[in-house]
Amino acid sequence: MNRVGKTLLVLALVAVVAMAFRVSWNALRDVATAVGADKTGATLYPFVVDGLMALALVATLVLTDRTDKKFALRVLAAYTVASLVLNFVHGLVPELHGRSVDWTRLADWDPVNWLLVLLATSLPVGSIYFGSDLVAKVLHHRSIDPTHAEESTQTETERSTSDLPAPALAPVPTLAGQAEADRVEQVDSTAETVPVDRVVAADQPVSRRVTGRVPDAARSSRPRRTADELMAEARQVTESWPVEQLTAEGIRKALRTSPDKARMLRDTLRAERTATAVPEPLGAAS
C-alpha cells in the first residue's frame, strides 16, 4: 500500500472513531450526572472513557515491543467493555434519557447498582494511571533513534564475536642444537611444542634468568655416572644389538641419558664395531 492509501485509511479510522465518540457522548454524560458529577464533570466524562480508548489504540499502533503492545491492547479492551456496559445501562434506564438528568439509581437491585456506580467512578482514576503509563511507553519508544539502535546492535555483535576464543596456533616441534640427521632419528622422542611465533632458532641461545640454588628435594636421586661408567653400561646394554640399531635415540632411551651423550656413545660403539669387523690383511697370517 502506497502513502496515499495509508493516509486515506488513517483518515477513515479517525472519522469512524469521531462518529462513535459522538454516539456514545450522551450515554456517558448522563451516567456521569447520575453518579453525582456536576455539569462540567459530566461534559468531560466521555473524554475520560472514550478518549483513553483512542489513546490506547494509537499506542497499540505505535509500540513495537510485544509486552507493551499487549498492555495497550488490554487497556483498550477493558475500557471498551466498560463503555459498552455504561451505554447498555443508559439504554435500559429511562430516567437517564431526560435533558435535566439528576442523581438516580443505575439499577433496581442494590448489588448491581453498587457495581455500576463503582465502575463509573473508577474509570477516571484508571484513565490517569493507564493513560500516563501508555504515554510514557510511547515517548520512550520514540526517543530511541533507529540509527543508534542499529549501531548498538552492531557493537554487541562485534563484542560477542571478540569474546569467542581465538583459534589455537598449530604447535610445531623444536629440537634446538641438533643436526638434521639426529632430528629424523628423534621423531618419536618427547619434544617441547611451542606456538609458531615463539620458535627459537638453533643458533640463537635463549637467555635464562638466574633463579638461585636448586633445592635438594628437586634434585634427582639418581647418582651421576662418569664417562667410563656410562660407556661400560652402554657396551653391556647394546652387546646384543646389531649395528643398525645403534642409534642415538635408542641408546638415550635405554640408558636414560642426554641426547649429546647418547650421540657420543653411538659414535664410539659404532667405531668399535667397525674396528672389530675389519678383516686382517692377507700378509699378516704368513
Side-chain angles (χ1 to χ4, degrees):
M1 183 180 295
N2 54 16
R3 184 175 300 178
V4 177
K6 292 181 180 180
T7 303
L8 293 176
L9 183 62
V10 172
L11 292 177
L13 175 62
V14 172
V16 171
V17 172
M19 290 185 290
F21 180 77
R22 178 62 186 87
V23 173
S24 179
W25 177 279
N26 290 337
L28 295 180
R29 182 194 59 187
D30 294 343
V31 170
T33 303
V35 296
D38 58 5
K39 184 177 181 180
T40 303
T43 304
L44 297 177
Y45 189 82
F47 291 99
V48 173
V49 182
D50 293 342
L52 185 63
M53 290 170 54
L55 177 61
L57 178 60
V58 174
T60 303
L61 298 176
V62 172
L63 296 174
T64 56
D65 184 76
R66 180 176 298 180
T67 304
D68 296 341
K69 185 182 290 291
K70 186 180 296 184
F71 173 76
L73 286 174
R74 289 177 178 175
V75 173
L76 176 61
Y79 269 73
T80 301
V81 173
S83 179
L84 176 62
V85 171
L86 295 181
N87 278 270
F88 178 72
V89 172
H90 183 267
L92 292 179
V93 181
E95 290 81 1
L96 299 177
H97 301 169
R99 291 183 176 271
S100 58
V101 179
D102 200 353
W103 182 89
T104 184
R105 294 173 60 89
L106 299 179
D108 294 334
W109 191 32
D110 288 341
V112 177
N113 182 67
W114 296 339
L115 290 176
L116 293 175
V117 172
L118 176 63
L119 175 64
T121 54
S122 62
L123 289 179
V125 180
S127 297
I128 297 174
Y129 175 78
F130 294 116
S132 302
D133 197 1
L134 288 174
V135 171
K137 292 180 183 300
V138 172
L139 293 179
H140 176 71
H141 172 76
R142 291 185 175 274
S143 63
I144 299 177
D145 187 7
T147 305
H148 178 69
E150 183 178 357
E151 293 178 356
S152 301
T153 304
Q154 184 177 1
T155 303
E156 292 296 332
T157 303
E158 293 177 354
R159 183 179 302 173
S160 301
T161 305
S162 63
D163 291 340
L164 295 176
L169 297 176
V172 294
T174 59
L175 303 174
Q178 299 184 15
E180 187 65 22
D182 297 330
R183 294 180 183 179
V184 177
E185 296 176 355
Q186 298 181 6
V187 172
D188 297 332
S189 63
T190 305
E192 181 183 4
T193 59
V194 296
V196 177
D197 55 350
R198 295 186 179 180
V199 175
V200 181
D203 56 349
Q204 295 181 357
V206 180
S207 59
R208 297 184 179 274
R209 183 170 58 89
V210 179
T211 58
R213 181 176 176 271
V214 179
D216 296 336
R219 295 182 179 181
S220 176
S221 59
R222 186 174 182 178
R224 287 181 172 273
R225 292 170 293 184
T226 62
D228 295 336
E229 293 175 348
L230 193 61
M231 180 59 69
E233 186 177 354
R235 291 193 183 101
Q236 182 180 359
V237 172
T238 62
E239 182 178 1
S240 60
W241 290 13
V243 179
E244 293 77 8
Q245 293 184 4
L246 287 176
T247 61
E249 180 63 17
I251 297 173
R252 185 189 67 81
K253 291 182 178 180
L255 300 181
R256 296 184 180 181
T257 184
S258 63
D260 294 336
K261 293 181 180 180
R263 289 194 297 273
M264 182 269 294
L265 295 174
R266 178 202 60 188
D267 297 338
T268 304
L269 292 174
R270 285 183 177 180
E272 291 178 354
R273 296 284 184 90
T274 303
T276 304
V278 172
E280 296 181 358
L282 298 177
S286 60

